[in-house]
Amino acid sequence: MCKNFKIALCQTMVKDDKVYNLKKALEFIEEAAVNGANIISLGEMFICPYRNDVFKEYAEEEEGSITLKAIAEIAKKYNVYIVAGSIPEKDGDKYYNTAYVIGKDGNIITKHRKMHLFDIDIKDGVYMKESDTFSYGQNITMFDTEYCKVGVAICYDMRFPEIFRIMVQNDVKLVIVPAAFNNVTGPAHWDIIIRNRSVDNQIYFAAASPARNYDETYLAYGHSSVCNPFGEIIGQLDENEDILYCDIDLNYLEKVRTELPLLKHRRLDIYGINTKK
Ligand SMILES: NC(=O)CC(=O)C(=O)O
């Protein structure tokens, strides 16, 4: 029997002030938990401006991380799962853009290190070269809950459909993606990608962004969204600070998969041959 549940996406305003950013994230998590959310996600780099010149300064090692300690305490207090957006993680002399997943007991369940680094240069648009700071994550990340299996990716990862199909082959029914698209790629691609990943894989897809901060050079798109397995966006914020709540209905997911059984109609025999060529 499927257990339905509520997800909350916390779209916080991120400033150049770690103490402020963490306090704001904790306030939003508390509000979401009090309002009945079972799984709560923060946005990409919820603790740190999305800028290469500050990533290392804001980075924390897993052991002794102030941010993770505070998130773990609040997860335990309110008995909720938290996808801790992402933070810059330091591991030896390497840095990663990492989303930690904290369980209801306050322990780290898993972590996702961004697999595809955002290196783009859109003329008169937006420039970013994450690989100047970060190393590449090497794993596709999934975790079990009493509701369903959940996949985690970070922002630019969502442009690579292969990882979501692998997640679905592993029985993932909800994907959570902390993300920070921008004022150029957001209006052009955000909704299309979210809807595509959902409709192709017949999953719920939740993307959690920071709010837009006009004092920053990188203008986050905001628009945290949840899309259902039929490809319909069932909740979306604008660019301002807010919390998005959506019910995840796994019976509905099964209904969509029964009525339009495209996952069963895959020609794995043929794709397999093609892959080997
Ligand atoms: N910020 C990202 O990682 C990705 C992004 O903004 C985009 O793909 O567009």
Side-chain angles (χ1 to χ4, degrees):
M1 189 59 185
C2 294
K3 268 181 103 176
N4 295 332
F5 59 102
K6 192 190 287 273
I7 182 168
L9 307 183
C10 298
Q11 185 167 297
T12 58
M13 173 77 74
V14 177
K15 301 189 176 175
D16 196 354
D17 180 343
K18 192 192 271 193
V19 174
Y20 172 89
N21 295 335
L22 181 57
K23 189 165 170 283
K24 179 60 78 176
L26 295 172
E27 280 168 17
F28 271 44
I29 290 170
E30 182 165 38
E31 183 177 330
V34 167
N35 286 330
N38 307 104
I39 303 183
I40 300 171
S41 180
L42 296 158
E44 182 179 26
M45 291 295 160
F46 73 94
I47 205 73
C48 166
Y50 190 64
R51 278 194 266 128
N52 265 313
D53 61 322
V54 293
F55 286 145
K56 288 188 180 172
E57 176 196 325
Y58 275 74
E60 296 182 34
E61 296 191 26
E62 190 172 309
E63 193 66 43
S65 159
I66 305 163
T67 301
L68 289 178
K69 186 169 179 286
I71 302 280
E73 279 168 8
I74 203 161
K76 192 170 176 189
K77 178 170 176 194
Y78 288 103
N79 199 34
V80 289
Y81 292 96
I82 300 177
V83 177
S86 75
I87 63 169
E89 177 203 359
K90 178 169 166 34
D91 184 4
D93 58 359
K94 291 199 167 153
Y95 292 83
Y96 297 92
N97 182 341
T98 303
Y100 284 89
V101 180
I102 313 294
K104 292 179 167 182
D105 57 3
N107 289 320
I108 296 170
I109 299 177
T110 187
K111 67 178 170 188
H112 179 71
R113 288 172 166 169
K114 192 170 186 174
M115 294 168 62
H116 305 88
L117 296 179
F118 191 45
D119 289 355
I120 63 154
D121 187 1
I122 298 180
K123 202 168 178 322
D124 302 325
V126 57
Y127 173 84
M128 184 68 194
K129 192 154 181 247
E130 280 192 310
S131 65
D132 277 348
T133 305
F134 295 121
S135 297
Y136 290 85
Q138 302 294 342
N139 295 305
I140 293 174
T141 306
M142 299 169 259
F143 64 99
D144 288 309
T145 69
E146 62 273 47
Y147 315 112
C148 67
K149 197 163 192 175
V150 180
V152 180
I154 299 176
C155 203
Y156 195 47
D157 287 337
M158 69 198 251
R159 290 186 183 269
F160 300 86
E162 293 86 347
I163 60 179
F164 304 97
R165 183 46 62 89
I166 290 169
M167 287 179 181
V168 167
Q169 282 169 340
N170 282 279
D171 203 28
V172 161
K173 299 205 167 120
L174 164 69
V175 173
I176 299 178
V177 183
F181 272 39
N182 51 71
N183 58 324
V184 177
T185 61
H189 301 151
W190 179 254
D191 284 11
I192 295 173
I193 294 171
I194 290 171
R195 296 188 67 196
N196 265 328
R197 298 298 89 87
S198 300
V199 84
D200 281 353
N201 296 297
Q202 303 188 308
I203 50 171
Y204 281 95
F205 193 100
S209 174
R212 187 170 309 161
N213 181 349
Y214 285 98
D215 293 335
E216 281 293 327
T217 45
Y218 186 91
L219 297 179
Y221 183 52
H223 290 77
S224 294
S225 304
V226 177
C227 190
N228 74 15
F230 203 63
E232 297 161 329
I233 294 191
I234 56 171
Q236 185 168 74
L237 301 179
D238 57 19
E239 71 276 21
N240 299 310
E241 269 194 331
D242 206 346
I243 304 176
L244 176 66
Y245 297 94
C246 280
D247 291 319
I248 304 298
D249 182 346
L250 298 171
N251 298 310
Y252 177 70
L253 181 146
E254 294 309 332
K255 180 175 180 293
V256 169
R257 288 186 179 184
T258 304
E259 292 177 353
L260 202 170
L262 67 87
L263 293 170
K264 285 194 185 141
H265 293 161
R266 283 173 295 156
R267 292 295 308 277
L268 297 173
D269 51 336
I270 295 178
Y271 313 148
I273 292 163
N274 285 342
T275 312
K276 281 181 199 142
K277 273 184 185 167

